Amino acid sequence: MGEYSTRLVSEGLWQEVTAVPRAGSATLAAIAYYSQDLLKLKKGDTLVCDASEPTIKSGGTRAALLLKLHHKGVKIYNQDTLHAKVACIGSFALVGSANASNNSQDNMVEAAVLSQDSGLRAQVLSLIAQLAKPENLLSTELLIELTKIPVEQRKYPNKSAKPNVSLKGTSVAWWCSTSPMSDKRYEADTTLRAKAAKKLEKRDDLEPDDLDFIRYTPRHRIAQVIKPGDRVILSHASKSGVARTAKVQPPAAVVHVERGTESVLVYVKPINDGANPMPFGKFRHVTQTFAGRGLTFKSNRILNADEYSKLAAVF
């Protein structure tokens, strides 16, 4: 398994989970408490959760949410002894501590292994299949009855502030796509760029002229989880939305992330000096046998270890 195909995720766990490419495949999950749709389930997906009366009553699992997902076409199964938190999302398996709740997302220190190991994924699929028993499938009628249970919202004791957790060395590889920034936007980010410049000037290992930056909105899924140490292969279209103007930049390392209220600036440094950009059309022709359909001049996603090593070798 490569360094990008299996990793431990803690800070920003749910943001990173939603960034996993699904490639049209169904998501299958067994998560004990499901009160927020943090997996972004859709038609054809499967969810096993604790939908017992005591859990619904305590607010651990939200019946109204289950009914909404059911109407979308999600198959929902009740398993009142469930304590597991596992899922298969695209080619990834998720095994961890986190229930799907606001408390998990905002207040708790969670950890999960996110892996493309085929053996682990097969085991997770097997576990979910054994839990998703036909007799435990929740019908519309049963779900409507569950929504009638009065909820006595669980009160959590006051706890200390959630600590910042950094898993240094757990770098991720990204395929990123950009288009030109407007003059107005560039001007609006002047203060944020100046703030970043002061920090970067103190770095003896960096030359400012060697750096470039990528700008995201704070709500962009990559902006929420990208960090120094990650690697980037960037497709930049000089004319927004026009493939023939796109060029793929050689691999770069993320050296700094400056976060503001309206923008997130990701500073990158080329990994191999002297490597030249490549027209997207040529790049796609060379890589189409192994890069998959999800790699377009407008897409943004995580690259697994095999993809990254092969794409980087093109340069």
Side-chain angles (χ1 to χ4, degrees):
M1 295 183 292
E3 61 178 313
Y4 303 107
S5 60
T6 298
R7 61 190 183 278
L8 181 68
V9 185
S10 182
E11 189 70 20
L13 169 62
W14 286 111
Q15 291 92 332
E16 188 152 346
V17 167
T18 57
V20 169
R22 306 194 182 198
S25 60
T27 295
L28 297 92
I31 296 180
Y33 295 162
Y34 208 87
S35 60
Q36 294 295 326
D37 186 26
L38 299 180
L39 284 176
K40 309 300 181 186
L41 298 173
K42 61 187 185 306
K43 182 178 180 180
D45 292 345
T46 295
L47 172 65
V48 182
C49 65
D50 181 354
S52 62
E53 183 173 341
T55 299
I56 297 294
K57 189 174 182 179
S58 70
T61 295
R62 195 155 57 89
L65 173 61
L66 298 186
L67 182 60
K68 180 180 178 180
L69 293 173
H70 171 73
H71 286 318
K72 286 173 63 175
V74 178
K75 294 180 180 179
I76 301 172
Y77 297 82
N78 175 39
Q79 179 52 255
D80 60 6
T81 61
L82 185 66
H83 194 254
K85 293 91 178 175
V86 299
C88 286
I89 310 164
S91 62
F92 286 81
L94 177 73
V95 180
S97 65
N99 287 304
S101 67
N102 282 338
N103 192 47
S104 167
Q105 186 175 39
D106 300 332
N107 303 320
M108 307 301 289
V109 177
E110 305 284 10
V113 171
L114 191 60
S115 175
Q116 286 183 299
D117 180 83
S118 58
L120 177 61
R121 189 176 185 279
Q123 289 178 316
V124 172
L125 280 173
S126 176
L127 174 62
I128 295 171
Q130 293 175 65
L131 294 172
K133 297 179 179 180
E135 61 267 28
N136 292 338
L137 181 65
L138 295 176
S139 64
T140 303
E141 292 75 17
L142 285 172
L143 286 166
I144 290 174
E145 288 302 311
L146 289 176
T147 63
K148 297 177 182 178
I149 297 174
V151 177
E152 299 174 2
Q153 199 67 43
R154 182 186 304 177
K155 294 183 179 180
Y156 295 95
N158 292 329
K159 295 185 177 182
S160 57
K162 181 180 177 180
N164 292 323
V165 177
S166 176
L167 300 177
K168 294 183 178 180
T170 57
S171 60
V172 178
W174 298 93
W175 170 264
C176 301
S177 300
T178 62
S179 55
M181 183 186 299
S182 69
D183 292 341
K184 182 178 180 180
R185 182 69 263 166
Y186 187 83
E187 184 67 24
D189 287 337
T190 298
T191 301
L192 193 63
R193 291 198 312 277
K195 184 178 179 182
K198 286 185 178 180
K199 296 176 182 178
L200 291 168
E201 286 173 359
K202 299 176 182 178
R203 296 273 300 269
D204 295 332
D205 58 326
L206 299 176
E207 290 292 337
D209 291 343
D210 294 337
L211 304 182
D212 200 352
F213 71 85
I214 308 167
R215 185 258 172 188
Y216 293 105
T217 62
R219 294 178 63 86
H220 194 285
R221 63 182 186 178
I222 290 182
Q224 294 177 5
V225 296
I226 198 167
K227 60 189 181 301
D230 285 357
R231 302 180 192 184
V232 171
I233 297 180
L234 174 69
S235 171
H236 178 75
S238 59
K239 188 173 182 180
S240 182
V242 181
R244 67 176 181 274
T245 70
K247 289 188 176 182
V248 181
Q249 307 298 317
V254 178
V255 297
H256 179 71
V257 179
E258 192 67 40
R259 302 183 187 278
T261 57
E262 296 184 359
S263 297
V264 174
L265 305 182
V266 180
Y267 286 81
V268 297
K269 177 184 178 182
I271 293 175
N272 300 316
D273 293 333
N276 296 315
M278 184 181 298
F280 179 80
K282 180 180 179 181
F283 181 84
R284 195 72 185 94
H285 177 73
V286 173
T287 62
Q288 62 184 348
T289 58
F290 57 82
R293 293 183 178 180
L295 207 64
T296 72
F297 78 100
K298 295 191 292 185
S299 60
N300 295 274
R301 68 174 178 87
I302 293 172
L303 297 170
N304 65 46
D306 186 57
E307 284 180 316
Y308 175 78
S309 62
K310 289 179 178 178
L311 294 177
V314 170
F315 297 93

